[in-house]
Amino acid sequence: MTMTHATAGPGMRRALLRVGRCVLSYVLLDMAVWIVIALVVPDWSFLDSMRVGLLILAFTGIPTVLLAIVAGLAHQHMEVARFRCLLAFPMVLFAFPLIGAAMAEPLVLQVMAQVAFAVWLMPAPLVPENWVGLPE
């Protein structure tokens, strides 16, 4: 059976929209976390916190979103809740650049953001048409 443009179009568009939602939701969540960090950590100025937040976004956000997209495309036979919980563990490891921070707040809040993204915000299944498990 060959796929025509009419059958591949809506599914591809839906998958691209879900990938865009994945990226946008992570970036907005990370921005919110670093605004909270800027308000909670008294030793840093707001601009310094935002600079560090953008740098950490490159180190945590890119691998997290890539993992979410690749795993979302690869796994098709798992219940969504189990998939999200299992994916939260490797996403937490991407917060490793903050282990050397002088204060605990950035690391704790970034880990909480990683878990929140994996468990609640990440669109799963990424391609619902290919999912064999129980969808959302």
Side-chain angles (χ1 to χ4, degrees), residues 18-30 32-33 68 84 91 112-124 126 136:
R18 291 176 77 84
V19 167
R21 179 180 145 206
C22 181
V23 171
L24 184 64
S25 63
Y26 185 83
V27 169
L28 291 175
L29 175 68
D30 200 62
V33 164
R84 288 174 181 264
M91 284 186 180
M112 289 171 49
Q114 298 290 95
V115 171
F117 175 73
V119 175
W120 290 295
L121 295 176
M122 183 183 70
L126 200 57
E136 312 184 280

Side-chain angles (χ1 to χ4, degrees), residues 32-90:
V33 164
W34 280 94
I35 288 173
V36 170
I37 290 171
L39 297 174
V40 170
V41 176
D43 296 340
W44 293 354
S45 70
F46 187 79
L47 289 176
D48 289 340
S49 296
M50 292 299 105
R51 284 188 202 116
V52 171
L54 285 174
L55 183 65
I56 294 298
L57 178 62
F59 286 109
T60 62
I62 293 170
T64 299
V65 170
L66 285 176
L67 177 64
I69 292 169
V70 169
L73 291 173
H75 292 292
Q76 302 171 355
H77 300 284
M78 194 179 299
E79 184 183 0
V80 176
R82 183 170 186 242
F83 172 72
R84 288 174 181 264
C85 289
L86 289 175
L87 198 58
F89 290 110

